[in-house]
């Protein structure tokens, strides 16, 4: 089954404790992205990747890191999470236009 | 960079009526305009998209129109049904950079029976 998976789906953590949210797709898509969704602000792009080892900043990259060592995986790293990073995070992959979203990760930073 | 504005933020319609959501964009290089539907607790899913070489596209009860001169595009839902209740997002992208997609803030559509 073609899909985008994210783990964990829910995470509660404390300020400053490094965390990684994994994202994997099995559709051999070149493009992958991370978004955060906050009430009233829609979906804001954090980082995107055009292919292996090629990444670029989106609109809200501060406080986040990404890597694309393999085509299928695109982890999101928060090295020192802060409460303002509490949000719903979506990973997406795309063959060029249509975005296929993962199920989302709800992160709470206390 | 691109800026996409979406209106209204909420829209309440009676079942059977039409719903229209409007978006404007700022980057004249944008040439791909998708619409996503997000049901409560679910992930966004593409419902229709349009490219800049087309003025209108229809798919059953939904249609999208694009005015490149005015830099705005709209989603039209006819004969609304309760299952159309969701948040709808417009977005804009340049074909030169498929990875970079700018979303509007979303419209909460409520269809009342």
């Amino acid at each position: 089954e073609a899909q985008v998976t994210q783990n964990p789906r829910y995470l509660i953590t404390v300020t400053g404790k490094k965390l990684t949210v994994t994202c994997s797709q099995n559709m051999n898509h070149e493009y992958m992205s991370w978004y955060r969704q906050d009430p009233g602000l829609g979906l804001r792009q954090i980082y995107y990747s055009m292919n292996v080892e090629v990444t670029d900043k989106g609109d809200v990259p501060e406080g986040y890191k990404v890597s694309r060592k393999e085509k299928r995986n695109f982890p999101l790293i928060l090295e020192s999470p802060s409460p303002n990073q509490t949000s719903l995070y979506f990973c997406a992959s795309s063959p060029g236009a249509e975005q296929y979203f993962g199920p989302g990760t709800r992160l709470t930073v206390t | 960079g691109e800026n996409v504005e979406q209106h209204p933020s909420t829209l309440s319609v009676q079942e059977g009526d039409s719903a229209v959501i409007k978006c404007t964009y700022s980057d004249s290089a944008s040439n791909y305009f998708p619409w996503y539907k997000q049901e409560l607790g679910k992930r966004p899913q593409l419902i229709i998209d349009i490219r800049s070489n087309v003025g209108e596209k229809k798919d059953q009860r939904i249609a999208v129109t694009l005015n490149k001169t005015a830099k705005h595009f709209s989603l039209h839902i006819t004969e609304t049904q309760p299952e159309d209740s969701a948040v709808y997002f417009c977005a804009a992208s340049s074909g030169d950079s498929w990875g970079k997609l700018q979303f509007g803030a979303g419209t909460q559509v409520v269809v009342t029976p």
Side-chain angles (χ1 to χ4, degrees):
Chain A
E1 179 191 353
Q3 59 182 349
V4 179
T5 57
Q6 294 178 228
N7 282 291
R9 295 288 313 281
Y10 303 90
L11 179 60
I12 301 174
T13 189
V14 296
T15 299
K17 187 176 181 182
K18 182 179 179 179
L19 67 92
T20 299
V21 184
T22 64
C23 174
S24 184
Q25 52 100 359
N26 62 1
M27 295 170 280
N28 201 36
H29 288 166
E30 290 187 350
Y31 296 90
M32 297 186 76
S33 295
W34 275 103
Y35 298 89
R36 60 177 289 173
Q37 184 174 20
D38 303 288
L41 297 176
L43 292 152
R44 292 181 294 167
Q45 194 172 47
I46 303 170
Y47 269 95
Y48 64 100
S49 169
M50 291 73 80
N51 215 322
V52 175
E53 301 291 3
V54 183
T55 63
D56 203 353
K57 295 177 181 178
D59 295 314
V60 288
E62 295 78 20
Y64 305 95
K65 284 177 57 176
V66 293
S67 69
R68 187 95 181 270
K69 294 185 172 60
E70 309 164 277
K71 199 170 187 178
R72 63 182 294 124
N73 296 324
F74 191 44
L76 179 70
I77 303 155
L78 285 74
E79 298 222 327
S80 184
S82 63
N84 64 13
Q85 293 179 298
T86 291
S87 186
L88 177 60
Y89 291 86
F90 285 101
C91 177
S93 73
S94 171
E98 179 177 356
Q99 305 268 318
Y100 293 80
F101 286 87
T105 294
R106 187 165 293 281
L107 172 66
T108 302
V109 184
T110 61
Chain B
E2 176 65 277
N3 182 47
V4 177
E5 294 192 358
Q6 183 172 347
H7 299 279
S9 57
T10 59
L11 181 59
S12 184
V13 296
Q14 287 279 105
E15 183 178 358
D17 288 348
S18 295
V20 180
I21 305 169
K22 298 181 180 180
C23 289
T24 61
Y25 62 98
S26 61
D27 188 352
S28 56
S30 291
N31 56 11
Y32 173 66
F33 307 93
W35 287 88
Y36 285 80
K37 176 183 180 182
Q38 186 179 28
E39 297 176 354
L40 188 63
K42 302 281 184 65
R43 70 194 79 184
Q45 290 193 301
L46 180 73
I47 55 171
I48 195 167
D49 57 12
I50 191 168
R51 297 175 194 267
S52 59
N53 58 348
V54 175
E56 182 176 357
K57 184 176 178 181
K58 291 183 73 173
D59 183 3
Q60 298 182 332
R61 294 187 298 108
I62 60 173
V64 58
T65 58
L66 171 66
N67 183 327
K68 282 215 75 177
T69 303
K71 293 184 193 166
H72 66 72
F73 56 113
S74 300
L75 178 72
H76 305 253
I77 307 173
T78 59
E79 301 172 22
T80 53
Q81 300 168 4
E83 52 264 38
D84 295 327
S85 295
V87 178
Y88 292 80
F89 294 99
C90 63
S93 175
S94 165
D96 294 335
S97 180
W98 287 121
K100 193 158 179 60
L101 193 62
Q102 188 81 30
F103 282 84
T107 297
Q108 173 77 59
V109 173
V110 178
V111 180
T112 52

